[in-house]
Structures are given as C-alpha cells and as structure tokens.
Amino acid sequence: MRFEVSKVLDAIEGRLSTDPVVARGVVDLAEVLRYTDLDAGRPASLLRLGQVVDALGRHLGEEGVAVYVVVDRSVLSDSDLTSNERMAIRRWADDGLVEVLPSAGDRVFEVAELTGLPVLTRREAGRWLAPVPGGGGAVLVGTAAASPTSNHPALARIWQCPEPECALFGAQRQSAQPPPRMRSGVPSCPRHEQRLADRGPRPPSVALVVRVDGIVRQRFAVGAERPVVVGREPAEPSAVRLGPWLNGESARRISRSHLRVVVTRAGLEVTDMSTNGTVLRTAAELIRLSRGETRLIGDNDVVVLHDGVELARPGRWRSGGVADPRSVMSDAPTVAIRMPR
Ligand SMILES: [Zn+2]
C-alpha cells in the first residue's frame, strides 16, 4: 500500500508549479490537507491535495492542470501526516515545486493578486472557489474566475535571493520565477524573508496549450531562454511529449521532435523540425511549414501538427473540452480514499 501512495504522490508532484504562467489556481496546503469531509479519513492527508487538483481539472475541463501550492513551514513537522507525506513535501520544497514559508498567512491571496489566479479555499466562500465534497470527489463552488494577470512591476524583473541555494529565487532559477513577496513594498523571498536583489528585466514568457482531439491536454510556458520542443517522443528533457495522446495515424505522421517554439524579440515563433511538416492556421490562410522554416505565431493562430493535434495560446479555446479529466488519484489505494456518499 505504501508503494501505491507513493505513486499518487508522484502523480500529484507532476501537477505542482510555482510558475505563474503554468499554474491554474493557488492552494494553502495547511488548509486543504485538513478537509476531512472530502474523504472521511485521517485528520490530515496529503491525498486531499490530489482531490483538489482533480476538482480544478473538472472545473476547467482540462487535462493535466497544475496548482501553485503555498506551505506553512509547520506542515513539515505535522505529526498528523505520515513520514512519507512529510518527506514528499520537503522534496517538493527543495525542488521549488511548492513555496514553503515560515508563516504562510495571507500569502495565497498575495500570489492570487499578483498572478490573477483564483484561490482554492473555504476561507472566503463566494469570492473564491471552495473545494467541497461532491458526487465522485471534490467539486469547486464559488464565482471567482481567473482575472487578467496583473502588471505589477515586480513581475517584470528577475530576482535573486541572498541564499544561493534558494529553490525559488536562487542562482539556478533565472526564469519561470514565482511572484516575490512584497514586504512594505520591498520584493522579498517568501522562504528566507530576505530582500531580493534586482537582476534586470525578466524575459517575457508565454503560455501555450496542446489540444488533442478537442481536449486540452497540457499547458506549458515558453520563454526567451527556454525554447520548447513538441513532438511524439522528443529527447529534450523539458519537451512536451504528445505520444500518450496520439492514435495510429497521428502517431505515424507526427515526428519524434516535430517543432520548436520560442519567444524572440519579434514575438512567439514556431520552427518546423518534422518529416511531414506543420501548418500554421491564421484567420486568413493556411501556411505550410517544412523542416527548418520559421514563422511568428499570432495571438489567435493555431499550429497544427496533424489533424486534431493543435497548439495555441490558452485564450484561443473557450473550453478545455473534457468533462472528466484523468484523476491524479487513480493509483490511490481504496482504503485511503473513502468517498462520502
Ligand atoms: Zn530565498
């Protein structure tokens, strides 16, 4: 059973991001892991985070949604959690997948305000999306939609924490940074509570989504220093792998590394790397790209790798297209998850 719990925690890990461009909601872990009515189980359980991730996926109608998790440091020593769960949270913190703070307080609301993401909480039901028990798992109730991303000047800079090993603002993280914590107007590291040094302008980052057969499967960020390869089975570590979602025909026609997207001075660019080519669908025309050819992707353009396998900015499609996304809990041992009737 322990092995199965680890698999669920691994699945949850794949849905954590402190990159505001990738995350779809903000969560206070100390609060969520004590929603005992979600499964009538232990006083605290990390698996409840998985239920909230699932609820967000159903709410948005998307596969693979990610959450921005804020963790009060006291959670790391919460004896209501298993040692396995505490170890997982520590690992996530070390990898910069979650944000651990000496005092989480209202940091979730600050992150929401700076990023435009909704908070998944019961603390202010109505204004926010509250995860509550529903048929077949947690559901989100409330009215908050994602607001437009704020243009706070602190988000336009790259920041450096005095702690060189800092997972959020350390030397290793010069892109995809979380929003800094504003303490009396001074950008600070939420984890180390120290003033951040300004390292210059932040390169622009653009969100893209992959849609296969009408369903949004994955959201990812493209930056100026972060070209992303998309294909059936690309070798690059940070690439987008379409393989699992393709059928016979599309799997044959789409190359292992099919195309590359990157933000340049001119804008968002796509370069074809494939055998069978890529189509850029604009309002006016279809542009066929062959290997080595590069074009700018306009705000409403769609990049087509093969019929039904598409790439575009998130606003291009109103719905994620799926009523029941794949659950991160599907590997959960049934003994740990008793759904309320
Ligand atoms: Zn730090």
Side-chain angles (χ1 to χ4, degrees), residues 161 163 166 169 189 191-192:
C161 181
E163 295 287 334
C166 178
F169 297 99
C189 175
R191 180 160 194 183
H192 300 106

Side-chain angles (χ1 to χ4, degrees), residues 76-98:
L76 298 176
S77 51
D78 187 335
S79 55
D80 286 340
L81 292 171
T82 66
S83 58
N84 203 16
E85 290 174 324
R86 292 195 297 267
M87 217 158 55
I89 299 169
R90 223 165 272 134
R91 190 177 69 232
W92 298 344
D94 290 346
D95 292 345
L97 297 174
V98 301

